[in-house]
Amino acid sequence: MDTGKVNQRILSFMEKRDMDTTALSEAAGLDPQFIKTMLEEDIYPPLGPLMKIARALGVRLGTFLDDQDSSDPYIARKAERADSFSVLDGTNKAPTLNFYALGKGKSDRHMEPFFVEIMPESAKKKTLSSHEGEEFIVVVSGLVEVIYGNKTYELKPGDSIYYNSVVPHYVSCIGEEKAEIYAVVYIPE
């Protein structure tokens, strides 16, 4: 999924709610410059801030990712996993995380499942974020570091972690090889 598509959806909801950048930043509790940069440049925000934006706009996170009608059950085939979005640390920088939305075809969902590639760049700048809800992560390959509050955990393939997202946290890979995880984010309504 290209970033502009998500930004356009955010802008559309801002317009519907008669919100400018300042109003959105206040409602989401985010820096106005962060909102402006995210909307004007090709930068996709981490999930924490994106969830705060969704809540401030009165929509669920999946609203920014959905592009089709709901089907039940929804099957996400690995071979067809093409739509993705990347978290970038800035313009013209390598992605830190590549997300593949696994539930975007089910519009009535309450969880957001993802397959995530965690790139080595993720370990360079560790900015903790928090949001309402819970997260569950299972490591598929590589080594993963999870900073949760003031503690740090190292996870290996097969390991999992389940935590309350309101505690500041950050997920990155360890070493020069990318890591891969499955992550499920639950956001209460």
Side-chain angles (χ1 to χ4, degrees):
M1 172 176 295
D2 69 66
T3 305
K5 198 173 188 182
V6 173
N7 289 358
Q8 291 305 310
R9 289 178 185 181
I10 292 171
L11 287 166
S12 172
F13 280 101
M14 287 172 64
E15 185 177 315
K16 287 178 187 174
R17 284 150 182 78
D18 198 28
M19 293 178 92
D20 61 10
T21 304
T22 303
L24 179 59
S25 69
E26 288 174 7
L30 297 169
D31 182 274
Q33 187 57 47
F34 174 83
I35 300 286
K36 184 178 179 189
T37 301
M38 180 206 60
L39 294 173
E40 293 178 1
E41 296 182 24
D42 192 21
I43 296 176
Y44 199 97
L47 282 182
L50 190 59
M51 286 182 214
K52 290 178 181 181
I53 291 167
R55 183 160 301 276
L57 292 171
V59 299
R60 60 183 181 74
L61 175 64
T63 302
F64 300 138
L65 308 174
D66 296 342
D67 61 359
Q68 55 192 347
D69 293 329
S70 181
S71 63
D72 199 18
Y74 177 73
I75 297 173
R77 304 248 183 236
K78 183 178 180 180
E80 299 166 2
R81 193 185 297 159
D83 286 336
S84 69
F85 61 90
S86 298
V87 174
L88 306 172
D89 214 11
T91 306
N92 299 322
K93 292 193 177 179
T96 57
L97 303 167
N98 294 318
F99 285 84
Y100 298 86
L102 301 178
K104 69 181 203 125
K106 184 166 175 39
S107 61
D108 60 343
R109 66 190 178 275
H110 299 281
M111 301 180 293
E112 294 294 338
F114 297 99
F115 175 75
V116 184
E117 296 174 327
I118 307 173
M119 309 311 281
E121 289 77 13
S122 64
K124 293 180 181 171
K125 182 180 175 186
K126 300 177 184 181
T127 304
L128 279 63
S129 68
S130 64
H131 51 86
E132 290 186 44
E134 302 172 338
E135 293 183 36
F136 176 72
I137 293 172
V138 178
V139 179
V140 176
S141 68
L143 297 175
V144 174
E145 178 183 82
V146 178
I147 300 172
Y148 182 74
N150 60 5
K151 295 186 178 180
T152 301
Y153 302 93
E154 183 177 311
L155 304 175
K156 298 176 182 172
D159 292 347
S160 65
I161 187 170
Y162 189 143
Y163 54 86
N164 290 317
S165 306
V166 72
V167 175
H169 57 280
Y170 186 78
V171 179
S172 62
C173 79
I174 299 171
E176 293 303 314
E177 297 295 320
K178 76 176 179 183
E180 298 175 322
I181 63 172
Y182 283 100
V184 178
V185 179
Y186 168 73
I187 305 130
E189 297 203 24

